[in-house]
Amino acid sequence: MRYTDDLTVGEYKVSSRLSLNTPLNRLLKKSKLIVYAKDIGLFDPVKNKITSTINFVKRVKPNPKVEVNNDSIYLANFKKLVKTYNYNKEKNVLLLDYSLCSKDFLEYLRSNDFKSINFNSDFKKDSRPKTLIYDQHWNNLGREIIANEIVEYLKKENLK
């Protein structure tokens, strides 16, 4: 979960735009180069920018004199998502970069027995890039660090 991105909304809606069987997706499948570019995430930055612009326009403009506390919004959204989607704290573990999370959010996780793995410290130990340039997904080094974090967590929890 990316705290600064994934908790901006309190619900996720399934959209026909996400369907793989839309006329646009069927047309795109006919061009291997376009399909490859789409598969590797080349279009993701453009789609993300369009989505964020649309979401920004849809929002009610806050009073400039009133400061918005995003951390409280993120925490409220997290609570709503946990309830809406019946998050199972016994079976799931959150993979987080604690440096992006608020202290209140981390305290809420601790006090409510949410399991989590903090990958921030191991990411900072190595100065090489850990994400792909075009879409910020983890590259092989990033995936290796995350895999090691998960293995260490399993060993610590005796979940071999």
Side-chain angles (χ1 to χ4, degrees):
M1 178 178 72
R2 187 170 165 97
Y3 177 78
T4 54
D5 297 336
D6 296 335
L7 295 179
T8 58
V9 296
E11 65 181 295
Y12 292 97
K13 295 180 181 174
V14 177
S15 168
S16 61
R17 290 184 300 141
L18 299 175
S19 172
L20 296 177
N21 199 24
T22 62
L24 177 61
N25 271 334
R26 285 194 300 270
L27 180 64
L28 290 175
K29 286 179 186 175
K30 295 184 187 232
S31 168
K32 289 185 179 184
L33 181 59
I34 292 174
V35 170
Y36 176 71
K38 184 179 173 212
D39 287 346
I40 65 169
L42 192 62
F43 302 129
D44 288 349
V46 174
K47 288 190 317 187
N48 292 342
K49 191 55 122 175
I50 291 169
T51 301
S52 65
T53 303
I54 289 169
N55 288 337
F56 178 77
V57 170
K58 285 182 181 180
R59 288 186 191 148
V60 177
K61 293 182 181 179
N63 183 341
K65 295 178 185 175
V66 176
E67 227 177 274
V68 176
N69 182 348
N70 284 337
D71 291 330
S72 63
I73 293 170
Y74 295 165
L75 182 55
N77 286 340
F78 178 77
K79 290 176 183 179
K80 184 177 179 185
L81 290 167
V82 165
K83 184 177 180 184
T84 301
Y85 298 104
N86 297 318
Y87 183 87
N88 186 333
K89 292 190 278 187
E90 296 303 315
K91 291 185 177 182
N92 297 299
V93 179
L94 296 167
L95 185 59
L96 299 168
D97 178 344
Y98 282 15
S99 71
L100 298 176
C101 302
S102 73
K103 290 178 184 174
D104 290 341
F105 180 75
L106 293 173
E107 181 53 37
Y108 177 81
L109 295 180
R110 278 187 217 97
S111 63
N112 288 280
D113 300 321
F114 283 90
K115 299 174 192 170
S116 63
I117 299 171
N118 177 19
F119 62 86
N120 175 269
S121 59
D122 282 344
F123 260 45
K124 285 189 175 184
K125 286 178 187 174
D126 193 320
S127 62
R128 294 176 292 171
K130 286 155 257 350
T131 58
L132 301 170
I133 296 168
Y134 52 83
D135 68 358
Q136 298 303 303
H137 284 88
W138 294 317
N139 60 19
N140 287 342
L141 175 61
R143 288 189 291 270
E144 182 179 334
I145 292 170
I146 294 299
N148 289 335
E149 286 284 345
I150 293 169
V151 167
E152 289 305 313
Y153 175 84
L154 293 173
K155 286 179 182 176
K156 185 178 89 179
E157 298 293 319
N158 293 321
L159 299 172
K160 297 176 185 179

